[in-house]
Amino acid sequence: MGSSDMILDSIRSDCDKTVEAIASDSAKICEEILAKGKEDAANAKADIDLKAQQKASQIKAANKSRGELEQRNALLRIRRLEINKTYEKVYEYLLDLDGEKYFDIIYKLLKKLTDSQGVLYLNQKDLQRLPADFSQKLKSLGTKATLSEKPVDIDGGFILKNGDIEENMSFSALLSSNRDSLEDLINRELFTR
């Protein structure tokens, strides 16, 4: 073997050693990159899992809160409907009373207006079913009002006019002006048990 062959063998040997060193270093670098990639992926997974759990908790809490709000609103709507029904029933009850019971309520309302003067107005239905002793009963209650033969457009109750002053004692006006206290009473009776 000549010197040129020996040089070539030496170069080949050096190249093989360099290639082996590079391959060995490359394998280590690849292993390090792969290990770092796995670590980064595990960290990213843990971070994503944590964020997903937090988001799921937020969604669950928001849904629970929304559900509770919807339930509360539904109960309030039902309560409002029941109060309105009861309010309407009270109004219908007053309008449907027979003559004696109906006028007992009228007398109680008139008693609150003792010493009142003016003209007392009733609706057409009440004028037609007026008790025979109505005028005497007015006087006994201390009301100095005269009964108008002209009907007024109300469903029930009466209106007492004295000049520019008007006492609206119609059932709808009385119920309307006392709606808050009636609703409190209905709430206590229907929903506090």
Side-chain angles (χ1 to χ4, degrees):
M1 171 176 300
S3 70
S4 66
D5 285 336
M6 284 183 32
I7 293 175
L8 280 174
D9 281 342
S10 173
I11 291 173
R12 266 190 215 120
S13 175
D14 286 344
C15 279
D16 286 343
K17 287 179 187 173
T18 303
V19 167
E20 277 181 34
I22 290 172
S24 175
D25 287 346
S26 294
K28 287 181 187 176
I29 291 172
C30 284
E31 285 177 19
E32 289 173 4
I33 290 172
L34 185 60
K36 177 72 172 144
K38 286 180 180 179
E39 182 183 341
D40 289 348
N43 289 339
K45 180 187 178 303
D47 189 45
I48 289 169
D49 286 347
L50 178 63
K51 287 179 181 176
Q53 288 174 357
Q54 290 171 341
K55 186 68 174 177
S57 293
Q58 290 171 348
I59 290 171
K60 184 178 177 182
N63 286 339
K64 180 181 179 193
S65 178
R66 188 173 21 259
E68 289 170 351
L69 178 64
E70 287 177 13
Q71 181 181 14
R72 188 170 51 249
N73 286 340
L75 289 173
L76 287 173
R77 278 192 302 275
I78 290 169
R79 182 177 277 194
R80 172 64 45 207
L81 283 171
E82 290 303 315
I83 287 171
N84 287 340
K85 283 182 194 175
T86 305
Y87 185 85
E88 288 298 319
K89 292 289 182 189
V90 168
Y91 182 65
E92 289 171 13
Y93 170 80
L94 290 171
L95 294 179
D96 291 342
L97 286 172
D98 67 12
E100 184 179 337
K101 289 179 182 177
Y102 179 86
F103 280 98
D104 283 344
I105 290 176
I106 297 294
Y107 298 143
K108 287 177 184 175
L109 293 173
L110 283 165
K111 194 171 184 178
K112 292 181 179 186
L113 303 175
T114 302
D115 295 327
S116 296
Q117 298 179 14
V119 180
L120 183 70
Y121 292 91
L122 298 172
N123 66 23
Q124 183 66 43
K125 179 182 174 183
D126 293 346
L127 285 173
Q128 291 172 345
R129 64 179 177 163
L130 204 59
D133 64 342
F134 187 76
S135 295
Q136 293 145 339
K137 189 73 170 174
L138 281 179
K139 289 178 187 172
S140 73
L141 292 171
T143 304
K144 299 174 182 94
T146 58
L147 180 63
S148 172
E149 292 180 19
K150 181 181 176 188
V152 69
D153 188 20
I154 57 174
D155 289 334
F158 62 88
I159 293 177
L160 181 65
K161 288 185 181 179
N162 186 4
D164 292 340
I165 299 171
E166 179 178 292
E167 288 285 342
N168 188 346
M169 302 298 275
S170 66
F171 293 153
S172 60
L174 290 170
L175 287 173
S176 180
S177 67
N178 292 300
R179 177 105 187 191
D180 289 342
S181 58
L182 284 171
E183 285 185 10
D184 290 344
L185 175 67
I186 293 167
N187 265 324
R188 281 193 305 272
E189 292 299 315
L190 293 181
F191 304 110
T192 314
R193 294 185 191 231

